[in-house]
Amino acid sequence: MSESPDPGAAETPTAKRILIGPPLSSEQADEHLLRKRMALPIFASDALSSVAYAPQELVMILLVGGLAMLSVSPWVAGAVVVVLVVVVLSYRQLIKAYPSGGGDYEVARVNLGEIPGVVVASALLVDYVLTVAVSVASGIDNVISALPELNPWRVELAVGCVVLIILVNLRGVREASVAFAIPTYLFIGSVAVMIVVGLVRGMLGDPPVASSAAYSVPAEELSQAALVLLVLRAFSSGCSALTGVEAVSNGVPAFRRPKVRNAQATLTAMGGIAILLFSGLTLLALLSGVHYAENPCDLVGFDCRGAVQPSLMAQVAAATFGAGSAPFFVVQAATACVLLLAANTAFNGFPLLGSVLAHDGYAPKALSTRGDRLVYSNGMIVLGAIATVVLVVYQAKLTNLIQLYIIGVFVSFSLGQVGMIRHWLRELRRLRGLSPVTRANPPARRDVLEARKGFVINAVGAALTVLVLAVVTVTKFTHGAWLVFLAIPVLSLLMIGVHRYYRDVEHEIRADDATHFGAAGDVALILVNRLQKPVIKAVDYALAAHHDTTIAVHVSVAKDDTAALEEAWKEHGMPVPLVIIDSPYRTYSGPVAAFIARYRAAHGPSIVTVYLPQYIVGHWWENLLHNRRARRLAHQLMLVHGVSISLVPWLLDSSELVYGRRSRPYPGQQRAGEPVDAGLAQRMAEKSSLER
């Protein structure tokens, strides 16, 4: 179905329509759900792209212990693959049990309680922010590896990429999936070809040789305990390949039906591709002799002052295809694109999780509102703003940002898996409570087998993720991860505070039978400064409402202006009485509130409606030229008990820009009495009828 025009589209500013497209109606929501092949680039780009930097971080950490430590890397990579397999299997169970989109947050809140649920939500939100920062920083690293002259513009390029990703995602899920599908599949294909070519060359006796293979690294004197910690730290950095696995469980509502089956298939495909690419790239890096150091000056023979250290991906591609060759630039371009677009996983997960939290009362309600393109645009903007601040603070340096990464995701992994264990235990107790006849039925037996299988999978998953969390905490805490452990409880406390606030407000405004309807009087007050068309329109509105009493009120701050108003009021024969209130201190709301109190004292309790004329303008700078007294008075008088405010709009000519820019008339068109713009003429007629 094509995007049909909507009357609300006229209210969307032209610049906004150009950047993100025309508004979509709610009826079009189903059309923008994702097929599996389009969901993979959206939700799996983070997990797939992590293979570009996870092997690099693994090699970099092991190289601290000298070249001999690289012999341990296959075992470390194997351990990472085992954890990845278990986590993917565990999340298949989670998607089936909790398909509403809450993911680990919903599992923890339902099975473990409010506080674990909020902790998981906070950890995921922090991880999504860091996903954007790390992905963009890694993408910029690969761009600079191919074009070193861009290094001075690292931060500016990173911020620009974040802005671009925000704009693409604001256009809607379907358009974002189309935009991101080509780079993602190009990355998968090009890296797979590179791995196959490199391994085949190795088997044929012509292994690729990396540019850094000739550089040696001075080994540090490390004790046995330090070597163990070094291996554990390399393992924790390699586990960054697991990031993004949870995004599919948070995005189940975005899939086409059958949602659960499609989400599980996408998760399985993502896990399989990530395992193959991660294993192949690690093996190819060892085969080609890549040496990547945290401090480039530690590489003996490398000119760390005059050159930028190429990324592991760039070195492997250059060794396999040749530096400067077309396949080399294809791999680099695809890697840079997919790393930048890996942030897109967060731009889908963060807003969806934010909407769930807002629905549950743990986040501002604005996060649950869909924008013009049927996406949670407020959540995307918040995520982009915070990630930009992080990139600027850390100067878009991947080595610094990676130390903060994966803490949050493994906190959510661990609590989510423990919550799933509670879920399966409760399910098994329910099944044991069935009658013997019911338990003997084939469906019941299948349910028992499913529950037992799910329990075993999630128990193994919980054990491994808790172990990895402990390793990550020990190895990364002093390298900057303490900031994440500080941010998670702070954010959790804020979310609990928001929930308590919404709970108290809901209790305060809940309807009850103590409310009494009806009032003794109905009074309209029209605030008048000078007798002008906006005031006449307000008088007309008040009279049309048929209040018991209608009074025009002028707050006198200058005697000459007051005298001129009284004379004009009589001259034009205004149909309502004019009351003058003196204000020796030149304030407005106080004298009006005092007048209302005196009126009620004399005539009994009354409902008071205050009519305030207000200009509607078309240029932002016009707001600076008008004192906006009406809005200030409205805000102050709303605090007076029993007072309601009615703002009466007066559209200045410039407000036409709100509806559409006027056409430029050709010479003689106006003199001939021809309409300049049929649409404009219709809107002006509507405006005139409203003013009348």
Side-chain angles (χ1 to χ4, degrees), residues 70-351:
L70 292 180
S71 61
V72 184
S73 55
W75 300 100
V76 177
V80 172
V81 169
V82 170
V83 176
L84 181 54
V85 170
V86 172
V87 169
V88 169
L89 292 176
S90 300
Y91 271 90
R92 282 179 57 89
Q93 303 298 317
L94 189 150
I95 289 171
K96 184 177 181 180
Y98 296 91
S100 64
D104 287 318
Y105 158 71
E106 184 179 3
V107 173
R109 185 176 62 84
V110 171
N111 296 288
L112 303 178
E114 178 189 33
I115 292 179
V118 170
V119 170
V120 168
S122 302
L124 284 172
L125 293 178
V126 170
D127 181 71
Y128 282 135
V129 171
L130 292 174
T131 294
V132 176
V134 169
S135 299
V136 170
S138 182
I140 297 300
D141 254 8
N142 277 269
V143 171
I144 292 174
S145 294
L147 302 170
E149 59 271 16
L150 294 178
N151 190 45
W153 302 94
R154 177 185 295 269
V155 176
E156 291 81 358
L157 288 171
V159 173
C161 289
V162 172
V163 173
L164 181 62
I165 295 171
I166 293 174
L167 291 176
V168 173
N169 277 280
L170 287 176
R171 295 188 67 87
V173 174
R174 186 172 67 182
E175 291 197 22
S177 66
V178 173
F180 297 154
I182 295 175
T184 302
Y185 286 119
L186 179 61
F187 170 77
I188 295 172
S190 61
V191 174
V193 169
M194 181 180 70
I195 292 171
V196 171
V197 171
L199 294 180
V200 169
R201 283 183 56 183
M203 288 187 292
L204 295 177
D206 180 29
V209 179
S211 59
S212 61
Y215 304 143
S216 61
V217 178
E220 296 185 11
E221 292 292 334
L222 299 174
S223 64
Q224 187 173 2
L227 288 174
V228 172
L229 285 174
L230 186 66
V231 172
L232 291 177
R233 187 183 169 198
F235 170 71
S236 67
S237 293
C239 282
S240 59
L242 277 75
T243 57
V245 174
E246 80 291 344
V248 178
S249 67
N250 291 332
V252 176
F255 284 85
R256 288 194 173 182
R257 295 179 178 83
K259 294 178 180 291
V260 171
R261 188 183 306 167
N262 288 337
Q264 287 180 323
T266 302
L267 177 64
T268 303
M270 178 196 71
I273 295 171
I275 288 171
L276 291 175
L277 295 185
F278 174 78
S279 303
L281 189 57
T282 303
L283 182 59
L284 194 55
L286 293 175
L287 180 65
S288 59
V290 172
H291 298 157
Y292 188 90
E294 185 172 4
N295 182 1
C297 294
D298 290 341
L299 294 173
V300 179
F302 178 72
D303 182 12
C304 59
R305 297 180 180 179
V308 177
Q309 181 179 207
S311 65
L312 181 143
M313 182 70 77
Q315 293 189 48
V316 170
T320 304
F321 298 121
S325 64
F328 167 78
F329 282 109
V330 169
V331 171
Q332 284 302 99
T335 302
C337 285
V338 82
L339 283 167
L340 294 172
L341 299 181
N344 187 66
T345 298
F347 277 99
N348 282 273
F350 186 101

Side-chain angles (χ1 to χ4, degrees), residues 339-365:
L339 283 167
L340 294 172
L341 299 181
N344 187 66
T345 298
F347 277 99
N348 282 273
F350 186 101
L352 286 170
L353 179 58
S355 69
V356 173
L357 291 171
H359 179 269
D360 292 343
Y362 290 101
K365 298 298 183 185

